[in-house]
Amino acid sequence: MADYALKAEIADPRAGAWDFPAQKTMYGGRRIAVGDVVYLFASENEGGTGLVARGIVTAAEATPPRPGIERQTPRVGIAVTRTALAKRRLGRAELKPFADWDDGRPETELNFKCYRQATNKIVGLSPEAAAFLSGFF
């Protein structure tokens, strides 16, 4: 089992389950599998507020590459069942001060992986970042 973060448009952050088809993956995100823990960030680019929930992956399937395109970011479709709602805020504004990419802090890892690029994506997390995020539930 591993821990991941997903930053995506989440229309209903309080829903009991979600489907996320064909999500971009970075930083080991393509290895996400059934049973893994995923921390859900409602993308601020789509009006979200950052960390909203934690869940368990109930389905994961790699999206086949589109023919005729040489370089493609791996994509995975996942289904997630919510296990907890975030009790306090964690988003772009809270993570922005952590920009010393070599300081080893979990906040910096999250800022780098989730917000350095604006794209929505699934990213793999270190045990330290996962432990930090678990404190929000």
Side-chain angles (χ1 to χ4, degrees):
M1 305 277 212
D3 296 295
Y4 295 86
L6 168 91
K7 185 177 82 166
E9 181 176 4
I10 300 175
D12 181 4
R14 300 186 71 78
W18 303 270
D19 287 316
F20 298 102
Q23 297 297 300
K24 287 183 180 182
T25 62
M26 296 177 74
Y27 311 110
R30 70 177 155 203
R31 292 189 289 274
I32 196 166
V34 172
D36 287 336
V37 173
V38 63
Y39 294 91
L40 303 167
F41 285 78
S43 175
E44 286 96 337
N45 293 336
E46 282 90 14
T49 60
L51 183 66
V52 293
R54 179 178 59 210
I56 296 290
V57 177
T58 56
E61 184 175 350
T63 303
R66 294 185 294 177
I69 300 174
E70 189 173 323
R71 291 189 54 180
Q72 297 180 50
T73 301
R75 292 179 180 265
V76 176
I78 63 171
V80 177
T81 298
R82 177 173 48 90
T83 59
L85 290 170
K87 295 189 184 311
R88 53 193 173 109
R89 180 172 165 74
L90 181 67
R92 182 185 305 254
E94 291 77 18
L95 292 171
K96 189 172 183 162
F98 300 96
D100 177 2
W101 303 138
D102 296 320
D103 69 5
R105 295 180 62 131
E107 299 95 326
T108 305
E109 176 183 340
L110 292 165
N111 183 23
F112 181 86
K113 289 181 176 178
C114 293
Y115 294 111
R116 188 174 71 95
Q117 297 174 332
T119 59
N120 293 339
K121 60 191 145 282
I122 299 170
V123 299
L125 297 175
S126 69
E128 295 80 14
F132 172 75
L133 285 173
S134 70
F136 286 79
F137 298 89

